[in-house]
């Protein structure tokens, strides 16, 4: 278990930093994180426990975060304009990020994998299932939505937390900012672990801090539009998990995702917000493991 880097990944020929857990010959589960969150967002304990269920777990940095390629030469992203409907500053879309994911599968010699995505990562995983269906064995979409702007919207208090506090530049400022945002969007029904969040945020800052790259990801999400109609083509076993108390991505986004994908299982967790608390991890691992087992059984049959 150590960080590695794949080069010339996908059509964009970028570098992707990744880490693997468990037996490489076991069923592969690829974890995809959300806007601005490095692969460290998938807690090492979570990855290790999932691998302990007999799975080959891969976590990685999306483009523009962590140690993967940052598009520093791309045009400046204009997030306010994108939120108002002007997508002209988008340097890429979720289709490009989905192609990165498939390119990583190629680099790892994986013909297909079980995809698990959180928040924006859920949208990327959905896009892979839509555009590269043969590469997906099962889909787990967590605290995500369909791209339909009538569902899954952030509540005012979440947007205020994101906008407040001014720019953060130093390591401690970034940690303080993350803690402030977390207090607004985290799971009210579960004990927070601010020490772990602060430690992970500090490690992420040490690896790479690129707020412009984060903005590029946000614009890419907005520029990718509504996937609802295309999600009806997804035929792999699918699990949709959402927190009943998510103020960053309203639970309506989870309901809409499950409704759009034929046969999808929807699990709403009371007390869960826009994070994966330590006390939720065992249930999530159980749900993912059961889905993978069902999908693998269907593949054998």
């Amino acid at each position: 278990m150590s960080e590695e880097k794949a080069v010339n990944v996908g059509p964009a020929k970028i570098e992707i930093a990744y880490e693997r857990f468990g037996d490489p010959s076991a069923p592969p589960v690829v974890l995809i994180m959300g806007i601005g969150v490095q692969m460290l967002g998938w807690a090492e304990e979570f990855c290790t426990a999932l691998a302990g269920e007999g799975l080959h777990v891969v976590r990685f940095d999306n483009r523009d975060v962590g140690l993967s390629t940052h598009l520093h030469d791309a045009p400046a992203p204009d997030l306010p304009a994108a939120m108002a409907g002007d997508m002209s500053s988008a340097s890429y879309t979720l289709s490009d990020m989905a192609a990165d994911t498939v390119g990583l599968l190629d680099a790892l010699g994986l013909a297909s994998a079980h995809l698990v995505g959180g928040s924006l990562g859920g949208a990327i995983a959905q896009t892979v299932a839509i555009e590269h269906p043969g590469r997906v064995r099962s889909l787990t979409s967590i605290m995500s939505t369909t791209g339909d702007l009538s569902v899954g919207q952030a509540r005012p208090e979440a947007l205020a937390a994101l906008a407040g506090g001014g720019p953060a530049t130093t390591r401690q400022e970034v940690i303080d900012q993350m803690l402030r945002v977390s207090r607004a969007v985290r799971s009210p029904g579960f004990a927070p672990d601010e020490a772990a969040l602060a430690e992970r945020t500090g490690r992420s800052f040490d690896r790479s801090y690129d707020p412009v790259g984060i903005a590029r990801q946000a614009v890419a999400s907005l520029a990718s539009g509504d996937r609802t109609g295309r999600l009806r083509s997804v035929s792999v076993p699918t699990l949709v998990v959402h927190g009943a108390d998510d103020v960053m991505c309203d639970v309506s986004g989870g309901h809409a995702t499950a409704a759009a994908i034929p046969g999808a299982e929807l699990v709403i967790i009371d007390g869960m917000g826009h994070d994966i608390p330590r006390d939720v991890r065992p249930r999530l691992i159980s749900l993912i493991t059961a889905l993978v087992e069902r999908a693998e059984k269907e593949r054998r049959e």
Side-chain angles (χ1 to χ4, degrees):
M1 182 185 66
S2 61
E3 291 186 21
E4 302 177 74
K5 187 172 286 187
V7 299
N8 295 320
V9 172
K13 303 299 182 185
I14 63 173
E15 296 184 351
I16 294 288
Y18 67 93
E19 190 170 16
R20 295 190 281 188
F21 302 79
D23 182 356
S25 67
V29 176
V30 175
L31 307 176
I32 312 172
M33 249 304 155
I35 289 176
V37 184
Q38 301 180 22
M39 63 178 169
L40 303 182
W42 297 108
E44 185 171 319
E45 296 86 352
F46 176 81
C47 297
T48 301
L50 197 55
E53 296 295 323
L55 301 172
H56 172 206
V57 177
V58 180
R59 65 178 183 176
F60 70 98
D61 291 328
N62 284 309
R63 61 167 67 189
D64 267 332
V65 298
L67 300 182
S68 292
T69 293
H70 292 239
L71 280 70
H72 296 300
D73 295 331
D78 190 337
L79 185 55
M83 293 179 70
D86 178 3
M87 307 301 172
S88 60
S89 70
S91 299
Y92 51 86
T93 67
L94 297 187
S95 292
D96 297 302
M97 299 182 81
D100 295 344
T101 304
V102 172
L104 179 60
L105 296 184
D106 291 337
L108 298 178
L110 300 173
S112 60
H114 302 275
L115 300 186
V116 177
S119 195
L120 176 72
I124 296 170
Q126 293 171 24
T127 305
V128 178
I130 292 166
E131 299 180 358
H132 309 272
R135 308 304 297 272
V136 182
R137 300 188 191 185
S138 73
L139 168 65
T140 300
S141 180
I142 306 168
M143 54 190 180
S144 191
T145 185
T146 61
D148 177 355
L149 297 182
S150 70
V151 297
Q153 290 302 293
R155 297 181 193 173
E157 59 266 35
L159 294 175
L162 287 174
T169 55
T170 69
R171 190 180 196 270
Q172 189 59 51
E173 286 173 349
V174 171
I175 291 172
D176 292 342
Q177 181 185 66
M178 178 59 72
L179 290 173
R180 175 176 50 79
V181 172
S182 172
R183 289 167 189 147
V185 306
R186 68 191 181 195
S187 301
F190 299 91
D193 190 345
E194 291 198 342
L197 177 60
E199 188 274 337
R200 185 174 72 240
T201 303
R203 287 174 59 203
S204 295
F205 182 90
D206 295 339
R207 293 175 86 236
S208 170
Y209 180 58
D210 183 4
V212 177
I214 295 170
R216 279 194 291 269
Q217 289 189 346
V219 172
S221 177
L222 291 168
S224 297
D226 183 1
R227 293 177 296 282
T228 304
R230 297 194 298 155
L231 284 170
R232 305 196 192 287
S233 70
V234 175
S235 60
V236 295
T238 297
L239 169 68
V240 177
V241 179
H242 216 104
D245 299 284
D246 192 336
V247 299
M248 182 60 72
C249 180
D250 184 77
V251 68
S252 58
H255 283 285
T257 303
I261 300 174
E265 176 187 3
L266 174 64
V267 175
I268 304 297
I269 300 179
D270 290 337
M272 178 177 164
H274 202 70
D275 63 351
I276 302 175
R278 185 184 302 275
D279 291 339
V280 170
R281 291 176 197 163
R283 184 176 182 189
L284 187 56
I285 289 168
S286 178
L287 288 166
I288 294 170
T289 301
L291 180 71
V292 168
E293 289 177 351
R294 175 161 68 90
E296 289 292 314
K297 181 179 178 181
E298 290 181 7
R299 291 181 77 240
R300 290 193 298 268
E301 294 175 348

